[in-house]
Protein backbone atom coordinates (compact mmCIF):
# COMPACT_ATOMS: atom_id res chain seq x y z
CA UNK A 1 0.00 0.00 0.00
CA UNK A 2 1.42 3.38 -1.05
CA UNK A 3 0.63 6.18 1.44
CA UNK A 4 0.17 9.89 0.77
CA UNK A 5 -0.71 12.69 3.16
CA UNK A 6 -3.85 14.70 2.46
CA UNK A 7 -1.77 17.86 2.10
CA UNK A 8 -0.26 16.32 -1.06
CA UNK A 9 -3.76 16.10 -2.54
CA UNK A 10 -5.13 19.48 -1.43
CA UNK A 11 -4.75 21.19 -4.82
CA UNK A 12 -6.49 18.28 -6.52
CA UNK A 13 -9.61 17.59 -4.48
CA UNK A 14 -10.09 20.21 -1.78
CA UNK A 15 -13.49 21.90 -1.92
CA UNK A 16 -13.82 25.67 -1.77
CA UNK A 17 -16.54 28.22 -2.46
CA UNK A 18 -15.69 31.34 -4.43
CA UNK A 19 -17.43 34.70 -4.89
CA UNK A 20 -16.72 34.48 -8.64
CA UNK A 21 -17.26 31.57 -11.01
CA UNK A 22 -13.95 29.73 -11.40
CA UNK A 23 -12.83 26.79 -13.53
CA UNK A 24 -9.65 25.03 -12.41
CA UNK A 25 -7.72 22.01 -13.72
CA UNK A 26 -4.95 20.14 -11.93
CA UNK A 27 -2.84 17.01 -12.46
CA UNK A 28 -0.41 14.93 -10.41
CA UNK A 29 1.66 11.95 -11.47
CA UNK A 30 3.75 9.58 -9.37
CA UNK A 31 5.65 7.06 -11.48
CA UNK A 32 4.31 3.51 -11.21
CA UNK A 33 1.82 4.66 -8.55
CA UNK A 34 -0.88 6.91 -10.00
CA UNK A 35 -1.87 9.57 -12.51
CA UNK A 36 -4.66 11.94 -11.48
CA UNK A 37 -6.55 14.63 -13.41
CA UNK A 38 -9.18 16.90 -11.88
CA UNK A 39 -11.42 19.67 -13.17
CA UNK A 40 -13.35 21.95 -10.85
CA UNK A 41 -16.22 24.39 -11.36
CA UNK A 42 -16.94 26.52 -8.33
CA UNK A 43 -18.75 29.62 -7.19
CA UNK A 44 -20.24 30.90 -3.93
CA UNK A 45 -22.91 28.17 -3.63
CA UNK A 46 -21.34 25.03 -5.08
CA UNK A 47 -18.10 23.25 -5.94
CA UNK A 48 -18.16 20.58 -8.67
CA UNK A 49 -15.19 18.23 -8.78
CA UNK A 50 -14.58 15.81 -11.68
CA UNK A 51 -11.86 13.34 -10.66
CA UNK A 52 -10.23 10.85 -13.07
CA UNK A 53 -7.23 8.66 -12.36
CA UNK A 54 -5.23 5.60 -13.25
CA UNK A 55 -4.17 3.70 -10.12
CA UNK A 56 -1.24 1.31 -10.66
CA UNK A 57 -0.81 0.18 -7.05
CA UNK A 58 -3.10 0.40 -3.98
CA UNK A 59 -2.96 3.96 -2.58
CA UNK A 60 -4.14 5.41 0.73
CA UNK A 61 -4.68 9.15 1.26
CA UNK A 62 -4.41 10.07 4.96
CA UNK A 63 -5.74 13.04 6.93
CA UNK A 64 -7.31 15.04 4.12
CA UNK A 65 -8.81 18.15 5.69
CA UNK A 66 -11.89 19.56 3.96
CA UNK A 67 -14.50 22.28 4.41
CA UNK A 68 -18.06 21.78 5.69
CA UNK A 69 -20.38 20.86 2.82
CA UNK A 70 -23.21 18.61 1.68
CA UNK A 71 -22.31 16.54 -1.37
CA UNK A 72 -23.76 14.31 -4.03
CA UNK A 73 -21.07 11.81 -4.94
CA UNK A 74 -21.42 9.93 -8.26
CA UNK A 75 -19.10 6.97 -8.80
CA UNK A 76 -18.68 6.80 -12.58
CA UNK A 77 -16.00 4.12 -12.81
CA UNK A 78 -14.14 1.91 -10.34
CA UNK A 79 -14.56 2.05 -6.57
CA UNK A 80 -12.80 3.30 -3.43
CA UNK A 81 -13.27 3.26 0.33
CA UNK A 82 -13.72 6.45 2.35
CA UNK A 83 -13.45 6.72 6.13
CA UNK A 84 -14.55 10.06 7.62
CA UNK A 85 -15.03 10.16 11.42
CA UNK A 86 -17.55 7.34 12.11
CA UNK A 87 -18.78 7.25 8.52
CA UNK A 88 -17.57 4.63 6.07
CA UNK A 89 -18.47 4.44 2.41
CA UNK A 90 -17.48 2.18 -0.47
CA UNK A 91 -19.62 3.09 -3.49
CA UNK A 92 -19.36 0.97 -6.61
CA UNK A 93 -19.43 2.06 -10.22
CA UNK A 94 -22.85 3.40 -11.26
CA UNK A 95 -23.88 4.36 -7.70
CA UNK A 96 -24.31 7.67 -5.91
CA UNK A 97 -24.92 8.91 -2.41
CA UNK A 98 -25.72 12.08 -0.50
CA UNK A 99 -23.54 12.94 2.49
CA UNK A 100 -23.30 15.79 4.99
CA UNK A 101 -19.72 16.63 6.01
CA UNK A 102 -18.92 18.91 8.98
CA UNK A 103 -15.24 19.91 9.13
CA UNK A 104 -14.27 16.47 7.82
CA UNK A 105 -10.87 14.80 8.06
CA UNK A 106 -10.87 11.90 5.62
CA UNK A 107 -8.93 8.78 4.73
CA UNK A 108 -9.36 7.34 1.22
CA UNK A 109 -8.21 3.96 -0.06
CA UNK A 110 -7.93 3.43 -3.82
CA UNK A 111 -7.40 -0.17 -4.93
CA UNK A 112 -5.30 -0.94 -7.95
CA UNK A 113 -7.53 -0.05 -10.89
CA UNK A 114 -6.86 0.88 -14.48
CA UNK A 115 -9.50 3.60 -14.65
CA UNK A 116 -11.16 5.41 -11.76
CA UNK A 117 -13.62 8.31 -12.07
CA UNK A 118 -16.15 10.17 -9.97
CA UNK A 119 -18.01 13.46 -9.91
CA UNK A 120 -18.82 15.26 -6.66
CA UNK A 121 -21.30 18.12 -6.43
CA UNK A 122 -20.66 19.89 -3.13
CA UNK A 123 -23.16 22.41 -1.79
CA UNK A 124 -22.60 25.17 0.71
CA UNK A 125 -25.03 24.15 3.52
CA UNK A 126 -27.15 27.31 3.16
CA UNK A 127 -27.60 26.63 -0.57
CA UNK A 128 -28.56 23.02 0.13
CA UNK A 129 -31.18 24.40 2.56
CA UNK A 130 -32.59 26.59 -0.21
CA UNK A 131 -32.91 23.71 -2.67
CA UNK A 132 -34.56 21.38 -0.16
CA UNK A 133 -36.94 24.15 0.99
CA UNK A 134 -38.24 24.41 -2.59
CA UNK A 135 -38.92 20.67 -2.78
CA UNK A 136 -41.86 20.14 -0.48
CA UNK A 137 -43.37 17.84 -3.09
CA UNK A 138 -40.68 15.35 -2.06
CA UNK A 139 -40.45 13.53 1.23
CA UNK A 140 -37.39 15.61 2.13
CA UNK A 141 -37.93 16.16 5.85
CA UNK A 142 -35.35 13.53 6.76
CA UNK A 143 -32.83 14.98 4.29
CA UNK A 144 -33.40 18.46 5.68
CA UNK A 145 -33.02 17.33 9.29
CA UNK A 146 -29.94 15.26 8.57
CA UNK A 147 -28.23 18.15 6.82
CA UNK A 148 -28.46 20.18 10.02
CA UNK A 149 -26.92 17.43 12.14
CA UNK A 150 -23.30 16.40 12.35
CA UNK A 151 -21.60 14.33 9.70
CA UNK A 152 -23.97 11.68 8.42
CA UNK A 153 -24.74 9.58 5.40
CA UNK A 154 -28.20 10.68 4.33
CA UNK A 155 -29.08 7.19 3.17
CA UNK A 156 -28.53 3.71 4.57
CA UNK A 157 -27.03 2.64 1.25
CA UNK A 158 -25.94 4.07 -2.09
CA UNK A 159 -28.49 4.42 -4.87
CA UNK A 160 -28.18 3.52 -8.54
CA UNK A 161 -27.51 6.44 -10.88
CA UNK A 162 -30.02 6.52 -13.75
CA UNK A 163 -29.98 7.87 -17.32
CA UNK A 164 -31.51 11.23 -16.41
CA UNK A 165 -28.92 11.91 -13.74
CA UNK A 166 -26.10 10.95 -16.12
CA UNK A 167 -27.54 13.26 -18.78
CA UNK A 168 -27.58 16.16 -16.30
CA UNK A 169 -23.99 15.35 -15.24
CA UNK A 170 -22.82 15.44 -18.86
CA UNK A 171 -24.50 18.79 -19.51
CA UNK A 172 -23.02 20.29 -16.33
CA UNK A 173 -19.53 19.35 -17.54
CA UNK A 174 -20.09 20.43 -21.15
CA UNK A 175 -22.80 23.13 -21.25
CA UNK A 176 -24.19 23.44 -24.82
CA UNK A 177 -25.09 27.06 -24.23
CA UNK A 178 -23.91 30.62 -24.90
CA UNK A 179 -21.22 31.85 -22.52
CA UNK A 180 -23.46 34.54 -21.05
CA UNK A 181 -25.95 31.81 -20.06
CA UNK A 182 -23.33 29.35 -18.82
CA UNK A 183 -23.44 30.07 -15.08
CA UNK A 184 -27.26 30.20 -14.71
CA UNK A 185 -27.47 27.11 -16.95
CA UNK A 186 -25.05 25.16 -14.73
CA UNK A 187 -26.96 26.30 -11.63
CA UNK A 188 -30.23 25.10 -13.15
CA UNK A 189 -28.68 21.74 -14.06
CA UNK A 190 -27.30 21.34 -10.53
CA UNK A 191 -30.78 21.88 -9.15
CA UNK A 192 -32.20 19.43 -11.69
CA UNK A 193 -29.58 16.83 -10.73
CA UNK A 194 -30.36 17.45 -7.05
CA UNK A 195 -34.09 16.96 -7.54
CA UNK A 196 -33.59 13.80 -9.57
CA UNK A 197 -31.30 12.50 -6.82
CA UNK A 198 -33.56 13.55 -3.94
CA UNK A 199 -36.40 11.61 -5.55
CA UNK A 200 -34.33 8.43 -5.15
CA UNK A 201 -34.37 8.92 -1.36
CA UNK A 202 -38.13 9.34 -1.26
CA UNK A 203 -40.82 6.69 -1.08
CA UNK A 204 -43.21 9.04 -2.86
CA UNK A 205 -43.17 9.91 -6.59
CA UNK A 206 -42.41 13.43 -7.74
CA UNK A 207 -45.58 15.47 -8.08
CA UNK A 208 -45.72 17.16 -11.46
CA UNK A 209 -49.36 18.32 -11.43
CA UNK A 210 -49.86 21.91 -12.54
CA UNK A 211 -52.93 24.07 -12.06
CA UNK A 212 -54.60 25.99 -14.91
CA UNK A 213 -53.18 29.21 -13.48
CA UNK A 214 -49.66 27.76 -13.50
CA UNK A 215 -50.00 26.68 -17.13
CA UNK A 216 -51.21 30.18 -18.03
CA UNK A 217 -48.10 31.60 -16.38
CA UNK A 218 -45.90 29.18 -18.32
CA UNK A 219 -47.51 30.43 -21.54
CA UNK A 220 -46.71 33.96 -20.37
CA UNK A 221 -43.09 32.93 -19.76
CA UNK A 222 -42.82 31.82 -23.40
CA UNK A 223 -44.32 35.07 -24.63
CA UNK A 224 -41.89 37.01 -22.45
CA UNK A 225 -38.89 35.06 -23.77
CA UNK A 226 -40.05 35.52 -27.37
CA UNK A 227 -39.32 39.23 -26.88
CA UNK A 228 -36.52 39.23 -24.28
CA UNK A 229 -34.39 36.27 -25.34
CA UNK A 230 -31.21 38.34 -25.68
CA UNK A 231 -31.38 39.49 -22.05
CA UNK A 232 -29.65 37.64 -19.22
CA UNK A 233 -31.96 35.22 -17.42
CA UNK A 234 -31.94 32.80 -14.52
CA UNK A 235 -34.61 30.26 -13.60
CA UNK A 236 -34.86 31.88 -10.17
CA UNK A 237 -35.51 35.27 -11.72
CA UNK A 238 -38.13 33.99 -14.16
CA UNK A 239 -39.83 32.00 -11.39
CA UNK A 240 -40.09 35.08 -9.18
CA UNK A 241 -41.30 37.26 -12.04
CA UNK A 242 -44.16 34.90 -12.92
CA UNK A 243 -44.84 33.62 -9.38
CA UNK A 244 -44.00 30.02 -10.27
CA UNK A 245 -42.26 27.27 -8.33
CA UNK A 246 -38.93 26.79 -10.11
CA UNK A 247 -39.33 23.04 -10.45
CA UNK A 248 -42.84 23.40 -11.85
CA UNK A 249 -41.54 25.97 -14.32
CA UNK A 250 -38.95 23.48 -15.58
CA UNK A 251 -41.38 20.55 -15.76
CA UNK A 252 -44.31 22.56 -17.17
CA UNK A 253 -42.30 24.38 -19.84
CA UNK A 254 -40.71 21.15 -21.08
CA UNK A 255 -44.07 19.34 -21.08
CA UNK A 256 -45.89 22.18 -22.86
CA UNK A 257 -43.30 23.10 -25.49
CA UNK A 258 -41.05 20.03 -25.73
CA UNK A 259 -37.92 22.02 -24.86
CA UNK A 260 -36.27 23.35 -21.70
CA UNK A 261 -36.34 27.03 -20.77
CA UNK A 262 -32.67 27.52 -21.58
CA UNK A 263 -32.97 25.35 -24.67
CA UNK A 264 -35.71 27.67 -25.91
CA UNK A 265 -33.62 30.78 -25.21
CA UNK A 266 -30.73 29.15 -27.08
CA UNK A 267 -33.03 28.33 -30.01
CA UNK A 268 -34.26 31.93 -30.29
CA UNK A 269 -30.74 33.32 -30.08
CA UNK A 270 -29.41 31.02 -32.80
CA UNK A 271 -32.35 31.86 -35.07
CA UNK A 272 -31.62 35.54 -34.46
CA UNK A 273 -27.98 34.90 -35.38
CA UNK A 274 -29.09 33.24 -38.63
CA UNK A 275 -31.13 36.33 -39.57
CA UNK A 276 -28.18 38.60 -38.83
CA UNK A 277 -25.90 36.50 -41.05
CA UNK A 278 -28.45 36.42 -43.88
CA UNK A 279 -28.90 40.21 -43.69
CA UNK A 280 -25.12 40.68 -43.99
CA UNK A 281 -22.91 43.39 -42.63
CA UNK A 282 -21.72 41.39 -39.60
CA UNK A 283 -18.77 39.09 -39.11
CA UNK A 284 -19.27 35.70 -37.47
CA UNK A 285 -17.43 36.99 -34.38
CA UNK A 286 -19.75 40.02 -34.12
CA UNK A 287 -22.83 37.84 -34.39
CA UNK A 288 -21.48 35.40 -31.78
CA UNK A 289 -20.82 38.22 -29.34
CA UNK A 290 -24.24 39.78 -30.00
CA UNK A 291 -26.10 36.64 -28.95
CA UNK A 292 -23.96 35.98 -25.89
CA UNK A 293 -20.96 33.91 -26.97
CA UNK A 294 -17.48 34.93 -25.88
CA UNK A 295 -15.96 32.09 -27.90
CA UNK A 296 -16.28 31.86 -31.68
CA UNK A 297 -15.61 28.14 -31.47
CA UNK A 298 -18.53 27.52 -29.10
CA UNK A 299 -20.85 29.57 -31.31
CA UNK A 300 -19.81 27.74 -34.49
CA UNK A 301 -20.31 24.36 -32.79
CA UNK A 302 -23.78 25.29 -31.50
CA UNK A 303 -24.77 26.79 -34.87
CA UNK A 304 -23.71 23.65 -36.74
CA UNK A 305 -25.65 21.42 -34.36
CA UNK A 306 -28.81 23.48 -34.84
CA UNK A 307 -28.68 24.37 -38.57
CA UNK A 308 -26.44 21.55 -39.86
CA UNK A 309 -24.15 24.07 -41.55
CA UNK A 310 -21.49 26.53 -40.46
CA UNK A 311 -22.23 30.24 -39.87
CA UNK A 312 -19.36 31.01 -42.28
CA UNK A 313 -21.32 29.50 -45.19
CA UNK A 314 -24.39 31.55 -44.34
CA UNK A 315 -22.27 34.69 -44.04
CA UNK A 316 -20.84 34.15 -47.53
Amino acid sequence: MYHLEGSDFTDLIKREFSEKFITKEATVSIENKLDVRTKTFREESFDILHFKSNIYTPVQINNLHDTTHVSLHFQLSGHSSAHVADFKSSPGSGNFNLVNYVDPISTFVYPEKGEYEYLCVAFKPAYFDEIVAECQDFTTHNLYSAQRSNLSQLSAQARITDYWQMDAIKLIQEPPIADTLRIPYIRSKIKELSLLSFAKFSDQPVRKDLSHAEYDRIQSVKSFLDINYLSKHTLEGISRMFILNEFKLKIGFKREFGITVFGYIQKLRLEHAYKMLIAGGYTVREVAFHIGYESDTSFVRAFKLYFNCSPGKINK
Side-chain angles (χ1 to χ4, degrees):
M1 180 76 69
Y2 183 73
H3 289 260
L4 282 172
E5 286 303 306
S7 56
D8 298 324
F9 253 50
T10 297
D11 288 340
L12 283 168
I13 62 178
K14 183 179 179 181
R15 268 156 285 273
E16 295 177 333
F17 301 103
S18 168
E19 291 185 2
K20 296 182 179 180
F21 183 81
I22 295 174
T23 300
K24 179 182 177 181
E25 296 187 39
T27 61
V28 67
S29 181
I30 300 176
E31 188 175 0
N32 298 323
K33 300 294 189 299
L34 54 81
D35 294 305
V36 179
R37 306 172 302 283
T38 63
K39 186 171 184 179
T40 303
F41 302 99
R42 61 171 56 118
E43 55 125 59
E44 61 181 353
S45 302
F46 61 79
D47 179 293
I48 303 170
L49 170 67
H50 185 201
F51 180 101
K52 298 181 71 174
S53 68
N54 288 306
I55 307 295
Y56 308 118
T57 189
V59 174
Q60 180 169 315
I61 313 297
N62 302 304
N63 301 314
L64 178 67
H65 291 251
D66 210 339
T67 189
T68 296
H69 64 279
V70 183
S71 63
L72 280 166
H73 181 107
F74 297 89
Q75 195 72 30
L76 305 179
S77 177
H79 73 279
S80 66
S81 297
H83 188 180
V84 192
D86 295 327
F87 165 64
K88 294 182 180 180
S89 174
S90 183
S93 179
N95 291 330
F96 80 96
N97 213 332
L98 176 63
V99 184
N100 180 47
Y101 293 103
V102 179
D103 295 325
I105 301 175
S106 313
T107 297
F108 293 95
V109 176
Y110 299 95
E112 182 178 344
K113 176 69 179 178
E115 191 70 31
Y116 178 86
E117 181 179 7
Y118 72 81
L119 184 119
C120 179
V121 180
F123 306 93
K124 183 176 282 189
Y127 185 55
F128 181 82
D129 278 358
E130 290 178 15
I131 295 176
V132 173
E134 294 175 5
C135 307
Q136 296 309 310
D137 288 343
F138 297 103
T139 307
T140 53
H141 176 72
N142 290 336
L143 296 181
Y144 196 72
S145 300
Q147 189 275 329
R148 294 181 177 278
S149 68
N150 290 326
L151 179 140
S152 56
Q153 183 173 355
L154 303 189
S155 168
Q157 59 184 12
R159 300 297 203 266
I160 296 174
T161 307
D162 63 23
Y163 166 83
W164 300 108
Q165 290 169 294
M166 289 302 302
D167 186 60
I169 287 171
K170 180 180 178 181
L171 292 172
I172 286 171
Q173 296 180 87
E174 300 177 6
I177 205 79
D179 298 282
T180 53
L181 295 172
R182 188 183 185 198
I183 296 175
Y185 178 86
I186 290 176
R187 285 197 193 110
S188 74
K189 282 296 172 184
I190 287 174
K191 283 196 173 183
E192 179 179 330
L193 180 60
S194 301
L195 296 172
L196 290 168
S197 302
F198 291 172
K200 299 271 188 159
F201 295 93
S202 170
D203 295 328
Q204 297 182 3
V206 180
R207 287 176 51 192
K208 300 180 181 178
D209 301 339
L210 299 175
S211 68
H212 291 298
E214 287 168 333
Y215 266 116
D216 287 343
R217 291 171 190 158
I218 286 170
Q219 292 287 346
S220 297
V221 169
K222 181 178 178 297
S223 299
F224 170 77
L225 294 177
D226 286 340
I227 299 171
N228 299 284
Y229 55 88
L230 289 177
S231 301
K232 290 185 178 181
H233 296 292
T234 64
L235 283 178
E236 294 92 335
I238 295 172
S239 297
R240 286 195 298 269
M241 186 182 300
F242 290 91
I243 318 175
L244 270 170
N245 174 283
E246 187 176 321
F247 185 57
K248 288 187 175 182
L249 168 61
K250 289 166 65 76
I251 292 294
F253 197 96
K254 179 69 179 290
R255 182 190 295 174
E256 186 74 359
F257 305 114
I259 191 171
T260 65
V261 173
F262 281 109
Y264 188 63
I265 294 172
Q266 178 84 333
K267 170 181 177 293
L268 294 175
R269 289 189 177 193
L270 288 172
E271 290 173 351
H272 183 81
Y274 183 91
K275 291 174 184 177
M276 289 180 68
L277 292 168
I278 287 291
Y282 301 96
T283 66
V284 171
R285 174 168 292 184
E286 288 171 337
V287 173
F289 183 78
H290 183 74
I291 69 165
Y293 282 88
E294 297 174 3
S295 164
D296 295 357
T297 303
S298 297
F299 169 64
V300 170
R301 182 168 58 247
F303 194 95
K304 281 183 175 179
L305 284 172
Y306 189 74
F307 291 106
N308 201 29
C309 69
S310 70
K313 286 187 177 180
I314 302 297
N315 202 26
K316 292 176 182 178

